Amino acid sequence: MSSSAVPPAGVYRRSGIHDPALFRGYEACRRATRATGEIEYAVSLLLPPPLRIATWALYGAVRAVDDLADAAGPPDRENRSTDEPDPGRAERLEAWISAFDADLREGRGSDPVRQALIHTMLTWNLPPGFLHTLFEELRQDVHGRQFGTWQEWRRYNSLINTPLVLRAGSLLMRAAGLSAEPEAIAASAPDVAVAWQTAVDAIYLTDALVDLSDDLRRGHLPLPQEALDEAGVHRADLLARHTTPAFEELVRRLTARARSWLDHSPLPPVLHPAVAVALGTYTDLYRLRLKAAADAPAALLHRRPALPRNARLRLLLPARTKAALAWGLFPFPIQPSPPPQPAPADAPEGHGRAEEARAGAVQQRATTPPPPHPSGARPPQLPPEAMPRHVAIVMDGNGRWATARGLPRTDGHRAGTEALIDVVHGALEIGLKHLTVYAFSTENWKRPADELQTLMYEIPQVMHRMVDEALDVRLRWAGVRSRLPADVIETLLQAERATLDRTGLILTMCVNYGGRAEITAAAAKLAQEAAAGRIDPSSVSEHAFARYLHVPELPDVDLLLRTGGDQRTSNFLPWQATYAELLFLDTPWPAVDRRTLWEAIEQYARRTRRYGSVPRIPAQPTLLSGHGAPTP
């Protein structure tokens, strides 16, 4: 298949894409990738369908939002003079970002491109933090940007391009059967992380050269002033498209630098052979692009150099053969889910917004369904739009429950563990995406020693059971290490690693957590970045701040539930729960089970949420069905 050919619909069917709107979104991303990423598109065709369309979604969506930030505006820029700024670009960018945040909360896109992007993020469990970093930098690009030094240039590259490349790289690593997150790679294999960063620098420098004519047309110079000064090139000459011997020498220097960076970026040694073929071909095509730039430096001021067709085919044809052979000998370990089947008559009709958004997603590991409730109760049938995406619970009343029964308070914590397990089972049954529980606060260290000992035993037990039961639950930890026993810390971290590829419920355990402490620590880190000159204080936004929270990708809380009779939030998720619906129950936590969660979600569905504007229509009582025995 040539790089310009239209892929058959079978590519989407083999990836589990059956929804026409989702099909259109991926197609829009594919076309954007093909139009603006000649190398990226050609290499994507070496990948199996699920991975291929994921790279299209990432690249195509980023290109769409990047076009909004261009100084000359979006693709209709030919209707304006080349140097005329577009006054609406900042508004369009902000509107896109706001819509993305709203769509992400809903778990589905209101725009085809955003729908494909969010589907990919849910399918591959990609946190949105890297996109918010990109958004922050693009907000500054709207007003123009110049690089004084190589250090500034590299920092921009690390914020804009590196996160995207690392996320794409983590997809390739997962295709190789590895659970690889960029943060984990950086922590466990710093040499590999440095190699990735060097390769990204080489790719970005190459693109800066080949896209120079387009950037100059918008009055933007993507090279650092330091590089121009070293070669004796004047900025005014470049903006006027004046070719000089100094400019040609600059191009030769920069292409040699980029080639050296590529040569010093070895591939990780543990890749699937087909993934190694794809990455090797990618870097070889960039070397070819560098040669095209170096062979005609003066032309870079006027047009984008094309890859020589014969040389490109000499690289791609054998690569396609090798990749097909490698995928045949070592099959892609992640298979797409089958099309959603109609629910049986006795099954609930709605499984929540997260389940609907993941229809056709990639199943990443075998998991087991939760055991049914002993009473035979089933979850309520709710329309997807009535489901909360994120429920947070203050699990209070363990000690009082035990005391009322003449038992030690420690027995209440043990009973609370069983209650949590059942609630998690209920969250899976109803299709909840995020459940966050307050397991141990920073104020709980004031408890008696025997109680602390019990809690430090029971919390790891919950984590072990979530891992051992092979439920489709991904575990996260929010909190600080200070004062926690080493074995508890290790258990929390191991549980996160062991469940990294699970795509169902995301259970965040707040252990040694305090909301004010989280915000204070985030503010301190942000201040350090500003003092070091890595962040412009005037550009700080909510998204920039949220990147420094314990779990940056944790979405806003829709419903905050507290058991045990007290009616306060007790320093629990103050940042994330700003717009949460609050529900306080007298029931102590050990007396709670999954039916309590279901009834709370039903109450949420009947509420009207305004967010400062017109309310949505709450779920009508006729759409809600009972689920068996009443809540205890």
Side-chain angles (χ1 to χ4, degrees), residues 510-542:
C510 290
V511 180
N512 204 20
Y513 173 88
R516 286 185 174 180
E518 179 184 28
I519 293 174
T520 301
K525 293 175 185 176
L526 193 62
Q528 291 171 0
E529 293 288 290
R534 292 188 289 269
I535 287 181
D536 179 4
S538 64
S539 69
V540 173
S541 66
E542 291 182 13

Side-chain angles (χ1 to χ4, degrees), residues 601-617:
I601 290 176
E602 284 188 295
Q603 289 196 39
Y604 168 87
R606 289 191 290 264
R607 294 190 180 184
T608 299
R609 310 198 76 200
R610 295 181 178 85
Y611 294 108
S613 61
V614 295
R616 69 165 174 83
I617 300 175

